[in-house]
Amino acid sequence: MSTATKNHIGRKISRIRELRDMKQEALAQALGISQQAVSNIENSETVEDAKLEEIAKALGVTAEGIKQFSEEAVFNIISNTYHNTSSDTSTLIASSLNYQPTFNTVEKIVELYERLLQAEKDKVAYMERLMNKS
């Protein structure tokens, strides 16, 4: 990102909107303005603080988040979230199979097992109630 882009609030708003997979029309509707007004904001180097707060809320971020936004930070977050332990980076599929999540997978498996076990217990109890009614 060039120096001009780094300080260009409108471009930052545009990139965050795009990353949110939001069209200008959707942002315009959330702000109660026209799509052309959103386009003008995204072409503006500066935005008034009050308007920036409104835009931030519509995008689900903070005004400070918009001011400090950089694509480099996004890539850093992604690279710090997953750790590629593959020595084979020849294909995306081969290397993506070796990405390790930062959450504890064992805890997630235990959580799933406990939910499945409870569902089975509920089924047994239901069947017993049906048998007792007969």
Side-chain angles (χ1 to χ4, degrees):
M1 196 182 283
S2 71
T3 305
T5 304
K6 284 183 179 181
N7 297 324
H8 197 288
I9 296 296
R11 286 194 191 111
K12 291 179 180 187
I13 292 168
S14 175
R15 286 299 293 141
I16 293 168
R17 178 184 54 75
E18 290 167 356
L19 289 169
R20 289 275 191 201
D21 199 26
M22 181 185 277
K23 298 204 176 294
Q24 282 185 340
E25 292 83 7
L27 181 57
Q29 185 175 8
L31 296 171
I33 59 177
S34 69
Q35 179 270 326
Q36 185 61 43
V38 170
S39 179
N40 290 339
I41 290 168
E42 290 181 354
N43 288 319
S44 300
E45 192 167 332
T46 60
V47 175
E48 293 177 12
D49 287 341
K51 182 55 85 175
L52 188 60
E53 287 289 339
E54 289 179 49
I55 294 167
K57 185 176 179 184
L59 291 172
V61 297
T62 63
E64 189 62 27
I66 293 174
K67 291 176 185 177
Q68 299 300 320
F69 174 80
S70 76
E71 290 189 27
E72 293 86 9
V74 172
F75 290 120
N76 285 336
I77 290 168
I78 292 169
S79 67
N80 289 328
T81 303
Y82 293 99
H83 307 287
N84 185 358
T85 58
S86 172
S87 59
D88 174 19
T89 57
S90 60
T91 66
L92 179 60
I93 294 171
S95 64
S96 67
L97 292 175
N98 292 302
Y99 279 104
Q100 301 297 318
T102 56
F103 57 86
N104 188 337
T105 54
V106 173
E107 287 178 7
K108 295 293 181 183
I109 292 169
V110 168
E111 188 179 303
L112 176 61
Y113 174 77
E114 288 173 346
R115 286 196 324 241
L116 290 171
L117 184 60
Q118 186 59 48
E120 290 302 315
K121 287 179 181 178
D122 293 344
K123 285 181 195 174
V124 169
Y126 176 73
M127 295 301 285
E128 287 175 348
R129 283 195 305 271
L130 285 178
M131 297 298 281
N132 289 336
K133 287 184 179 181
S134 306

